[in-house]
Amino acid sequence: MATVPTITLNNGVQIPQLGFGVFQIKPEETVEATRTALEVGYRHIDTAEMYGNEAEVGEAVRQSGVPREEVFVTSKLNNGFHARDDALKAFDGTMDALGFDYLDLFLIHWPLPGIDVDYVETWKAMEEIYRSGRVKAIGVSNFNAHHLRRMFGETEIRPVVNQIEVHPYFAQNDLRAFNADHEIRTEAWAPIAQGKVLDDATLIRVGERHGKSPAQAALRWAIQRGDIIFPKSVTRARVEQNFDLFDFELTDDDMREIDGLDRADGRNGPNPDEFNYIPS
């Protein structure tokens, strides 16, 4: 079984660089999918309150036989609970759903700049949660540099990660550099651009040089750039393929070819400066 590299976060916590994501996996499929990932060798699972499958992730960890302390689990605050008291209760709900005594990482899912609760207030609630000792690390998701600058000036604890959309068509080099300059690690969601890389001629060509798929080429590109990734699939063969990234290395030329796919209109998901969705 391959050894997944770990990355040290700014508070000393170790996170596996490759994980398994459960976004858009139906709750009734999540236990089996997550248990399969753990059987394959993943030790990092990324879920969220908004995904509706935290309980199933917790059950999969228990069923897997893998000791709890060997599995790094992330969840994220739902958009409807940004006010301080709501955030504290939502974290309690996450812990109840997962059935864990502690969580490894808890994130603000979106900054939501248009709602009547300031994300700085939300981050202060996250700091309270962190100080309680029930979570090992706290971070943010989908924050741009200007959101983070405000937080730096008004709060005490720096996020350990910023989970943002990153893939070959939307490399986010400036934001990744900003994160790095402030000791915030970049986590890349949608690392295969929601499947768009599968038909890309450049990624097919790069993958073929190494006997790998275009998806593996894209994921390896992200690994070599230092990003933390968590591809998802409910198909065991694909789960295994996404894990099979550590027996080859892209050359500098390979990396430059993939770098060249970046484009201004490459974003697939919402723009964090405009996204204010609150689940009903």
Side-chain angles (χ1 to χ4, degrees), residues 10 119-120 123 127 140 143-162 178-184:
N10 64 31
Y119 57 82
V120 171
W123 184 251
E127 291 179 325
V140 296
F143 275 51
N144 285 328
H146 67 91
H147 300 127
L148 292 166
R149 285 193 191 96
R150 267 207 63 213
M151 282 175 47
F152 297 161
E154 300 180 42
T155 62
E156 296 178 11
I157 299 173
R158 189 149 298 192
V160 297
V161 302
N162 185 13
F178 179 89
N179 290 339
D181 287 345
H182 294 87
E183 298 184 317
I184 298 170

Side-chain angles (χ1 to χ4, degrees), residues 61-135:
V61 172
R62 284 185 289 276
Q63 288 185 15
S64 73
V66 179
R68 168 69 187 94
E69 62 272 15
E70 295 181 14
V71 185
F72 191 103
V73 179
T74 299
S75 194
K76 311 175 193 76
L77 180 70
N78 208 337
N79 288 358
F81 304 110
H82 271 217
R84 174 191 174 274
D85 291 350
D86 293 339
L88 299 182
K89 290 175 184 176
F91 179 75
D92 289 342
T94 280
M95 298 302 286
D96 289 344
L98 287 166
F100 293 162
D101 294 329
Y102 70 91
L103 186 63
D104 297 280
L105 177 61
F106 196 50
L107 310 180
I108 299 178
H109 207 151
W110 290 89
L112 305 180
I115 69 169
D116 60 359
V117 181
D118 192 320
Y119 57 82
V120 171
E121 175 185 338
T122 310
W123 184 251
K124 289 178 179 178
M126 299 286 284
E127 291 179 325
E128 288 188 57
I129 293 167
Y130 179 67
R131 292 189 181 107
S132 77
R134 299 172 70 200
V135 65

Side-chain angles (χ1 to χ4, degrees), residues 12-81:
V13 167
Q14 299 278 317
I15 184 171
Q17 191 178 5
L18 174 65
F20 180 73
V22 298
F23 175 55
Q24 292 182 332
I25 298 181
K26 297 175 183 177
E28 59 268 26
E29 297 178 348
T30 300
V31 172
E32 182 177 356
T34 305
R35 196 174 59 228
T36 295
L38 292 167
E39 289 171 1
V40 167
Y42 293 82
R43 292 295 182 266
H44 172 185
I45 310 296
D46 183 273
T47 185
E49 293 174 359
M50 200 182 300
Y51 302 167
N53 54 20
E54 290 174 307
E56 289 75 17
V57 166
E59 182 60 28
V61 172
R62 284 185 289 276
Q63 288 185 15
S64 73
V66 179
R68 168 69 187 94
E69 62 272 15
E70 295 181 14
V71 185
F72 191 103
V73 179
T74 299
S75 194
K76 311 175 193 76
L77 180 70
N78 208 337
N79 288 358
F81 304 110

Side-chain angles (χ1 to χ4, degrees), residues 35-37 39-40 233-242:
R35 196 174 59 228
T36 295
E39 289 171 1
V40 167
S233 178
V234 295
T235 305
R236 186 182 183 101
R238 185 63 58 80
V239 172
E240 291 175 344
Q241 185 184 88
N242 290 342

